[in-house]
């Protein structure tokens, strides 16, 4: 990880803290990172917490602690320490990319699930409006992925053909074509939950919108309702059917299919994915490393749109990186190609898992 990469990583942490509501400051355009001074900890240091303290109305130590929490476990960082009045000190990890790729491969589509919300009980009120039901169903799935006991107070968990337990490693049916047997309103429920004794049923504030799988297909119908923040108007459906890079849904699903094609082409050339040497891809490594935090934040804030936006960022990083994966011309497959392919495969896994959380299919080909 270079100083420029580290600067961008810290800036992302500031932005996440602001998005989470932990900090109330204007996100700076850049973050200064420099070599740690003699007697300091690690290789690099930043005074970003001190520069933000005044506008945030908090001590630099408080801000440094908030940022340290969001930087912990970042690919490329072995340790983040807070020293003095609020300096952040960074110790770099020699092979963070390899650890990240191995973590994604081991977890599969479940990468990003965890136990941070274990012991939390959440029950949502019974709903009938289509978008409110779809958003809440997806939030239930996110909460459960983070260890929470989540569900509906009175209704079933199987709606829109996607149970609240779907996703995170479970296969999704192909949904490319407009559905012929899906209602445009919420289907009736089939089972009930007993409300938890101490859990008051909650409601997510959702701007209403119709669920239209007959005209849009399941994938576009769900993206239209989930990509916009719950309180905002849903997206216009027809543009989501256009196969063009301006269509974010197409871009995300195309990026996944592109990974599958890279793996097929590599196999024809006689090699497969194996992370053997470090790969310089800070943007892609960064978004893959952010995935668990994004899922947890989306669960806490009842905001599936955060997952959709993160998938767009992941797709853009992958599509910018993909051209380096396969040998060109007379090149022979090398450790560099195998390592890049392994990183691309990890990106495809994250895309598939994130789409699955939203109840959207990840096609092998487009």
């Amino acid at each position: 990880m270079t100083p420029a990469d580290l600067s961008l990583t810290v800036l992302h942490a500031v932005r996440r803290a602001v998005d989470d509501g932990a900090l109330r400051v204007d996100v700076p355009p850049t973050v200064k990172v420099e070599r740690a001074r003699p007697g300091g900890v690690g290789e690099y240091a930043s005074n970003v917490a001190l520069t933000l303290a005044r506008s945030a109305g908090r001590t630099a130590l408080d801000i440094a602690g908030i940022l340290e929490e969001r930087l912990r476990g970042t690919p490329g960082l072995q340790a983040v320490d807070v020293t003095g009045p609020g300096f952040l000190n960074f110790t770099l990890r020699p092979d963070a990319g390899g650890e990240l790729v191995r973590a994604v491969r081991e977890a599969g589509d479940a990468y990003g699930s965890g136990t941070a919300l274990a012991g939390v009980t959440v029950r949502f009120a019974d709903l009938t409006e289509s978008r409110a039901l779809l958003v809440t169903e997806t939030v239930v799935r996110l909460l459960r992925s983070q260890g929470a006991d989540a569900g509906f107070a009175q209704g079933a968990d199987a709606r829109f053909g996607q149970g609240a337990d779907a996703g995170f490693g479970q296969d999704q049916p192909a949904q490319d074509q407009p559905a012929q047997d899906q209602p445009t309103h919420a289907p009736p429920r089939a089972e009930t939950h007993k409300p938890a004794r101490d859990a008051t049923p909650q409601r997510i504030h959702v701007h209403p919108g119709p669920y239209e799988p007959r005209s849009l297909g399941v994938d576009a119908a769900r993206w239209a309702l989930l990509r916009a923040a719950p309180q905002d108007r849903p997206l216009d459906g027809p543009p989501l059917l256009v196969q063009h890079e301006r269509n974010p849904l197409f871009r995300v699903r195309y990026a996944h299919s592109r990974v599958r094609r890279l793996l097929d082409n590599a196999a024809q050339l006689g090699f497969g994915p194996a992370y053997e040497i470090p790969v310089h891809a800070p943007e892609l490594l960064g978004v893959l490393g952010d995935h668990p935090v994004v899922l947890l934040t989306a669960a806490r804030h009842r905001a599936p749109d955060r997952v959709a936006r993160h998938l767009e960022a992941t797709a853009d990083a992958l599509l910018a990186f993909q051209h380096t994966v396969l040998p060109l011309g007379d090149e022979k497959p090398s450790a560099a190609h195998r390592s890049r392919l392994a990183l691309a495969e990890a990106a495809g896994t994250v895309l598939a898992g994130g789409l699955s959380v939203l109840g959207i299919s990840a096609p092998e080909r487009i």
Side-chain angles (χ1 to χ4, degrees), residues 79-132:
V80 181
D81 297 289
V82 179
T83 61
F87 290 101
L88 287 168
N89 291 260
F90 309 100
T91 303
L92 304 186
R93 191 186 302 273
D95 185 28
E99 292 184 9
L100 174 60
V101 169
R102 285 188 287 273
V104 175
R105 172 169 280 189
E106 290 173 4
D109 289 356
Y111 172 67
S113 60
T115 59
L117 300 183
V120 174
T121 298
V122 182
R123 290 292 179 266
F124 291 99
D126 208 30
L127 300 166
T128 56
E129 196 279 320
S130 294
R131 189 183 182 205

Side-chain angles (χ1 to χ4, degrees), residues 207-275:
H207 189 291
Y211 177 59
E212 301 176 313
R214 290 187 184 277
S215 58
L216 298 177
V218 174
D219 291 329
R222 292 180 73 91
W223 186 272
L225 299 185
L226 295 174
R227 171 57 180 84
Q231 68 273 15
D232 294 339
R233 293 175 60 87
L235 300 186
D236 188 22
L240 298 176
L241 301 178
V242 178
Q243 294 195 359
H244 193 280
E245 62 183 10
R246 289 194 300 269
N247 174 2
L249 174 60
F250 169 75
R251 208 162 63 244
V252 169
R253 298 174 77 241
Y254 172 74
H256 177 268
S257 71
R258 183 62 187 145
V259 171
R260 305 313 304 172
R261 182 62 62 86
L262 288 172
L263 290 166
D264 289 344
N265 290 346
Q268 293 173 7
L269 294 173
F271 75 99
Y275 201 95

Side-chain angles (χ1 to χ4, degrees), residues 3-363:
D5 299 336
L6 184 54
S7 174
L8 187 61
T9 298
V10 178
L11 184 61
H12 286 167
V14 174
R15 186 173 291 115
R16 287 201 303 272
V18 171
D19 289 344
D20 294 348
L23 286 179
R24 294 182 179 275
V25 294
D26 292 331
V27 178
T30 60
V31 168
K32 184 178 180 181
V33 171
E34 58 186 4
R35 280 283 181 184
R37 296 179 181 179
V41 178
E43 291 92 355
Y44 294 97
S46 174
N47 66 347
V48 62
L50 284 79
T51 64
L52 295 177
R54 187 186 193 98
S55 59
R58 305 183 63 166
T59 68
L61 278 174
D62 284 345
I63 296 173
I66 290 170
L67 298 179
E68 186 274 335
E69 180 182 353
R70 284 156 179 79
L71 289 164
R72 198 181 304 152
T74 297
L77 291 180
Q78 182 170 310
V80 181
D81 297 289
V82 179
T83 61
F87 290 101
L88 287 168
N89 291 260
F90 309 100
T91 303
L92 304 186
R93 191 186 302 273
D95 185 28
E99 292 184 9
L100 174 60
V101 169
R102 285 188 287 273
V104 175
R105 172 169 280 189
E106 290 173 4
D109 289 356
Y111 172 67
S113 60
T115 59
L117 300 183
V120 174
T121 298
V122 182
R123 290 292 179 266
F124 291 99
D126 208 30
L127 300 166
T128 56
E129 196 279 320
S130 294
R131 189 183 182 205
L133 186 54
L134 178 60
V135 169
T136 306
E137 167 214 272
T138 307
V139 169
V140 167
R141 190 180 304 142
L142 283 163
L143 287 165
R144 289 180 179 176
S145 78
Q146 303 304 313
D149 174 9
F152 284 79
Q154 303 295 333
D157 282 340
R159 294 165 288 275
F160 299 103
Q162 305 282 337
D165 282 324
F168 286 101
Q170 299 189 29
D171 292 335
Q172 296 294 329
Q175 298 168 340
D176 292 325
Q177 301 300 320
Q180 300 301 316
D181 56 353
Q182 295 284 345
T184 57
H185 56 280
R189 300 191 176 95
E191 59 181 81
T192 60
H193 272 300
K194 280 188 176 181
R197 183 176 299 176
D198 298 325
T200 302
Q202 300 181 14
R203 288 181 180 271
I204 302 171
H205 175 60
V206 178
H207 189 291
Y211 177 59
E212 301 176 313
R214 290 187 184 277
S215 58
L216 298 177
V218 174
D219 291 329
R222 292 180 73 91
W223 186 272
L225 299 185
L226 295 174
R227 171 57 180 84
Q231 68 273 15
D232 294 339
R233 293 175 60 87
L235 300 186
D236 188 22
L240 298 176
L241 301 178
V242 178
Q243 294 195 359
H244 193 280
E245 62 183 10
R246 289 194 300 269
N247 174 2
L249 174 60
F250 169 75
R251 208 162 63 244
V252 169
R253 298 174 77 241
Y254 172 74
H256 177 268
S257 71
R258 183 62 187 145
V259 171
R260 305 313 304 172
R261 182 62 62 86
L262 288 172
L263 290 166
D264 289 344
N265 290 346
Q268 293 173 7
L269 294 173
F271 75 99
Y275 201 95
E276 300 172 7
I277 63 174
V279 175
H280 181 74
E283 286 289 341
L284 186 54
L285 286 166
V287 291
L288 298 187
D290 285 348
H291 189 63
V293 176
V294 170
L295 293 179
L296 176 58
T297 302
R300 282 177 168 162
H301 289 269
R302 319 298 195 248
D305 59 292
R306 293 179 183 235
V307 179
R309 292 200 304 271
H310 181 67
L311 291 177
E312 291 175 15
T314 303
D316 291 343
L318 181 279
L319 292 173
F321 170 77
Q322 58 151 337
H323 306 289
T324 69
V325 173
L326 298 178
L328 298 176
D330 295 331
E331 277 188 297
K332 300 295 183 184
S334 66
H337 297 110
R338 291 189 291 273
S339 299
R340 293 171 195 152
L341 183 62
L343 180 55
E345 181 185 48
T349 299
V350 167
L351 289 169
L355 286 169
S356 181
V357 170
L358 302 179
I360 296 172
S361 66

